[in-house]
């Protein structure tokens, strides 16, 4: 149990269980292994040809910044172009749906007319067979 002695200070309770020795041994073992690892030789990553090469020329930053901003997208132009493309696509979709609706209606009307003609023939055949009896 801990007692508060003011200003956030607490006194450790001697009856609290200590961490197990296996946890301490594991922590020490991992620390020792990590300290003994061999790191790659980073000092010799530069070839002798690169060491002998001259330093690059220092250039003003303004031309570099101008080149970087020249390739950027202009939001106003892009929005106008995309708005125009969207309007064209919506108009095209309306034409296609109108055309397909008209052709679907025409096909349905043709199917209904064929079915009506078939029913008329069936009724006529039934009337003819009744009158023949």
């Amino acid at each position: 149990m801990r007692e508060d002695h003011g200003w956030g200070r607490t006194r450790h309770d001697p009856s609290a269980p200590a961490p197990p020795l296996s946890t301490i041994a594991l922590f020490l073992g991992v620390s020792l292994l990590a300290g003994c690892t061999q790191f790659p030789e980073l000092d010799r990553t530069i070839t002798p040809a690169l060491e002998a090469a001259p330093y690059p020329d220092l250039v003003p930053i303004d031309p570099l910044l101008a080149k970087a901003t020249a390739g950027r997208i202009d939001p106003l132009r892009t929005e106008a172009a995309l708005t125009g493309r969207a309007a064209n696509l919506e108009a095209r979709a309306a034409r296609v749906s109108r055309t397909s609706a008209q052709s679907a209606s025409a096909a349905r009307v043709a199917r209904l007319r064929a079915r009506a003609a078939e029913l008329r023939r069936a009724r006529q055949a039934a009337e003819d067979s009744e009158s023949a009896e």
Side-chain angles (χ1 to χ4, degrees):
M1 182 179 281
R2 294 182 165 194
E3 296 175 8
D4 189 9
H5 293 282
W7 297 94
R9 290 184 290 157
T10 56
R11 185 171 55 178
H12 181 68
D13 183 10
S15 65
L21 288 178
S22 61
T23 305
I24 295 171
L26 178 67
F27 178 73
L28 286 175
V30 170
S31 299
L32 287 173
L33 284 176
C36 294
T37 58
Q38 291 187 359
F39 292 100
E41 192 174 326
L42 299 176
D43 295 335
R44 297 292 1 168
T45 57
I46 298 175
T47 63
L50 283 176
E51 284 182 0
Y55 283 102
D57 294 332
L58 296 176
V59 294
I61 196 165
D62 292 332
L64 296 175
L65 291 176
K67 284 181 186 177
T69 57
R72 290 201 177 160
I73 296 172
D74 181 19
L76 297 176
R77 257 191 3 210
T78 304
E79 182 180 0
L82 289 177
T83 302
R85 285 182 64 192
N88 288 341
L89 287 174
E90 287 173 359
R92 183 175 171 196
R95 282 194 311 271
V96 167
S97 67
R98 218 178 15 250
T99 305
S100 65
Q102 289 171 352
S103 64
S105 306
R108 185 170 182 228
V109 167
R111 281 195 312 269
L112 290 173
R113 285 185 179 158
R115 178 75 175 138
E118 182 183 323
L119 290 173
R120 274 191 224 107
R121 282 192 299 271
R123 188 181 76 197
Q124 187 65 36
E127 288 175 359
D128 289 345
S129 66
E130 281 181 15
S131 64
E133 287 178 7

